[in-house]
Amino acid sequence: MSYNPKNIFAKILRGEIPAHKVYEDEHTLAFMDVMPQSDGHTLVIPKVFAETVFDLSPDALKNLIGVTQHIATAAKTAFAADGVTLMQFNGAAAGQTVPHVHFHIIPRYTGKSLQAHGRSMADNALLAQHAEQLRAALNTP
Ligand code: 5GP
């Protein structure tokens, strides 16, 4: 497995750059996407250094999708969403831009299309507010 430890999510895991965190356990971290495709766009990553799902053990992947389901359920409530899109890309050819495996949780609204992928930075105060809303729905401090 080739893994670039300089990628942005590895830096977030090491605490070298900030993130609006919403959930953390022994194996997993979740935080707001800085270029959200919809209000409440959240990323869920494993703490193990892995580039794609093919680099995860079946147990690690089960854990990751389980936590993703838990957070997506809370996001649907927190952002009063009509639906939730889960997305996951493996490799640049598939659209992956950050080479650390992750799931996207994107709240969706009837008749509203998504913003472009990874295109425009959200206001920091708004991201902080969304993180607070999601932490409240998750009952995490
Ligand atoms: P991918 O294209 O790899 O599936 O998704 C990477 C995601 O990471 C994109 O949605 C992009 O907006 C997000 N992203 C890129 N840089 C950062 C960052 O520094 N912090 C956070 N929180 N998200 C980022």
Side-chain angles (χ1 to χ4, degrees):
M1 166 179 92
S2 74
Y3 179 85
N4 178 358
K6 291 185 179 155
N7 78 74
I8 207 87
F9 295 170
K11 289 181 183 177
I12 288 173
L13 279 172
R14 291 193 297 264
E16 292 168 8
I17 64 162
H20 293 285
K21 297 179 185 177
V22 294
Y23 175 95
E24 183 163 15
D25 66 26
E26 190 188 349
H27 301 294
T28 322
L29 180 67
F31 50 89
M32 308 313 293
D33 193 306
V34 286
M35 291 174 268
Q37 292 185 252
S38 167
D39 282 356
H41 185 164
T42 305
L43 301 168
V44 189
I45 69 173
K47 289 187 174 177
V48 65
F49 286 174
E51 186 170 340
T52 71
V53 292
F54 309 113
D55 303 313
L56 288 175
S57 69
D59 279 349
L61 183 55
K62 263 187 232 163
N63 181 73
L64 187 62
I65 190 66
V67 172
T68 300
Q69 182 192 38
H70 174 61
I71 297 172
T73 304
K76 191 168 188 303
T77 303
F79 301 104
D82 299 316
V84 178
T85 294
L86 301 182
M87 295 195 307
Q88 197 282 315
F89 306 135
N90 298 285
Q96 184 176 13
T97 58
V98 177
H100 182 110
V101 61
H102 51 280
F103 275 93
H104 296 260
I105 296 172
I106 309 180
R108 301 297 301 270
Y109 302 91
T110 305
K112 196 167 174 197
S113 50
L114 288 183
Q115 312 268 23
H117 181 69
R119 196 69 61 80
S120 54
M121 291 283 283
D123 176 68
N124 198 47
L126 186 64
L127 288 177
Q129 184 200 312
H130 288 159
E132 200 175 310
Q133 270 173 250
L134 186 46
R135 281 196 301 270
L138 282 163
N139 268 322
T140 54

